[in-house]
Amino acid sequence: MAEIIDGKAISLAIKEECRDKVEKENLKRCLAVVLVGDDPASAVYVGNKKKACEFCGVKSVSHELPAATTEEELLNLVAELNMDDSINGILVQLPLPSHIDEDKVIRAISPDKDVDGFHPENVGKLSIGQPGFLSCTPAGIIQLLKRSNVDMDGKNCVIIGRSNIVGKPMALLMLRENATVTVCHSHTKDLKEICKRADILIVAIGKPKMIDASYVKDGAVVIDVGIHRQENGKLCGDVDFDTVEPVASMITPVPGGVGPMTIAMLMKNVVDGIANDKNMPYVAI
Ligand code: GUN
C-alpha cells in the first residue's frame, strides 16, 4: 500500500503561502495571460490560472485573441507587455495556432517576466546553476517530493520523457538535489530494466497507463505527469495506478497529483519574482 502524495493539498498550501506573502508585504503583482484561438483545453487552463491569481491577491489581465491573429500582432503585444511596468509576469498559453512560431514568441518574452520558465535564458541559467525562473511542472514535482519528505540525495532517479517543458528541466532539478539521474525516451533500450532500478520514477511519456507494476521496484516513489481522458470519461495518467500502487512506497494520483502543482508554482513564480532572496538562488524551490 503506497502513501498517496496529495498534490491538491500541497498546491493549496503553496497558494496560501503566496497569498500570505502578497498580503503581508503588500506586493503589487500582475500577470498578463495571453490566449490565442479557441482551444477548449487551453481555455480551461487559462481560466484556472486566472482563478489562482484571484485567490493569491495577484491581478491578472487577459488578452484573448482570435485564431487568425498574425505572428506579428502577437509579437507586438508581447513587446507592449514587456515594456509595461505594471506587469511583472507574461504567460502565453501553448499550443499556439500552427501559423505562429512558438519558439519565436517564447524568445520575445522578456526573461525577467518569463514566469513559465520557457525562455532559453532561463533554461540556460538553470543548466549552469544561476538564478532564474523555473519551468512550473518540474519545479512542482520537486516541491511534492520535498514536502512529502522524500530524500533525493544519492537516489537513483529515472525520468521517462525528454521534453523541454518537463523531462529536461526535471533532470537538471533532480541533479541539483544530488540525485543520480537517468533520462529515458522513445529510443531507450531496456526501458523496463532501467525503470526497475529507480528509487524515484518520474513518468512523462503521454501514453495512458503504460507503466505497470513490472516497471517498478518495490518501495519506489512514483510520480505520474500524464493526464488522459479515458473512454469511460474518467481521467488517468501514464502510470497504471491500480497495479503500481501496491508496489510503490509513494505515488501521485491522477487527477490530484502533479496537475495542480503547475498552477501553484506559476503563482510562486509570479509572487517571488527572480532572485529576490539571496538564500534562495532559484525561484520556486
Ligand atoms: N500549455 C500546457 N502547459 C502549459 C504551461 O505550463 N504554460 C503555458 N504557457 N502553456 C501551456
Side-chain angles (χ1 to χ4, degrees):
M1 279 284 280
E3 182 183 324
I4 307 297
I5 299 178
D6 187 347
K8 238 173 132 177
I10 295 172
S11 68
L12 178 62
I14 291 171
K15 284 189 288 182
E16 284 171 346
E17 288 160 20
C18 289
R19 183 186 64 190
D20 293 349
K21 181 168 173 165
V22 166
E23 202 177 290
K24 269 201 201 96
E25 298 176 24
N26 194 24
L27 298 176
K28 301 281 175 263
R29 295 287 191 256
C30 181
L31 174 67
V33 180
V34 182
L35 175 63
V36 186
D38 38 28
D39 176 58
S42 290
V44 171
Y45 290 137
V46 162
N48 288 338
K49 287 169 187 179
K50 288 195 281 195
K51 266 190 232 158
C53 284
E54 217 170 290
F55 179 91
C56 297
V58 166
K59 199 177 154 204
S60 68
V61 291
S62 198
H63 294 267
E64 282 162 28
L65 309 176
T69 302
T70 64
E71 187 178 278
E72 191 187 357
E73 284 167 332
L74 182 56
L75 290 171
N76 286 341
L77 173 61
V78 169
E80 265 174 46
L81 297 171
N82 282 341
M83 284 185 301
D84 185 339
D85 289 339
S86 71
I87 288 184
N88 69 293
I90 301 172
L91 182 142
V92 178
Q93 186 66 26
L94 304 178
L96 291 168
S98 55
H99 63 277
I100 299 178
D101 181 345
E102 264 177 20
D103 283 339
K104 204 165 169 183
V105 175
I106 290 169
R107 274 199 309 274
I109 296 172
S110 163
D112 297 335
K113 298 188 180 187
D114 168 40
V115 285
D116 261 328
F118 293 167
H119 191 284
E121 185 172 317
N122 284 315
V123 178
K125 283 177 167 173
L126 168 63
S127 71
I128 58 171
Q130 291 180 4
F133 284 115
L134 298 178
S135 182
C136 300
T137 301
I141 291 169
I142 296 287
Q143 282 297 307
L144 283 180
L145 294 168
K146 284 194 169 172
R147 290 177 190 234
S148 305
N149 299 313
V150 174
D151 183 18
M152 291 169 262
D153 200 309
K155 295 290 172 1
N156 280 331
C157 174
V158 174
I159 299 163
I160 321 180
R162 54 173 163 179
S163 71
N164 291 338
I165 292 179
V166 181
K168 284 179 200 152
M170 191 74 248
L172 292 164
L173 287 172
M174 289 304 288
L175 269 180
R176 217 177 79 187
E177 300 300 330
N178 298 318
T180 302
V181 182
T182 306
V183 182
C184 301
H185 46 80
S186 55
H187 292 229
T188 297
K189 306 252 192 304
D190 304 325
L191 179 65
K192 200 173 274 191
E193 283 63 41
I194 296 169
C195 290
K196 273 260 183 202
R197 293 202 290 267
D199 301 307
I200 301 168
L201 180 62
I202 301 176
V203 188
I205 27 182
K207 290 197 179 137
K209 296 190 182 179
M210 184 182 141
I211 299 303
D212 62 20
S214 66
Y215 289 79
V216 180
K217 179 166 87 172
D218 253 7
V221 175
V222 179
I223 304 290
D224 189 352
V225 185
I227 186 156
H228 313 275
R229 179 80 59 189
Q230 299 176 90
E231 275 175 11
N232 64 10
K234 288 190 179 162
L235 295 170
C236 74
D238 293 346
V239 173
D240 182 13
F241 185 90
D242 292 340
T243 70
V244 172
E245 185 270 338
V247 178
S249 64
M250 293 176 131
I251 187 168
T252 58
V254 176
V258 173
M261 296 302 293
T262 302
I263 292 186
M265 299 314 279
L266 173 70
M267 290 301 107
K268 200 159 164 52
N269 275 350
V270 173
V271 170
D272 284 353
I274 61 167
N276 62 339
D277 180 347
K278 299 264 182 310
N279 297 316
M280 196 167 68
Y282 298 86
V283 167
I285 289 292

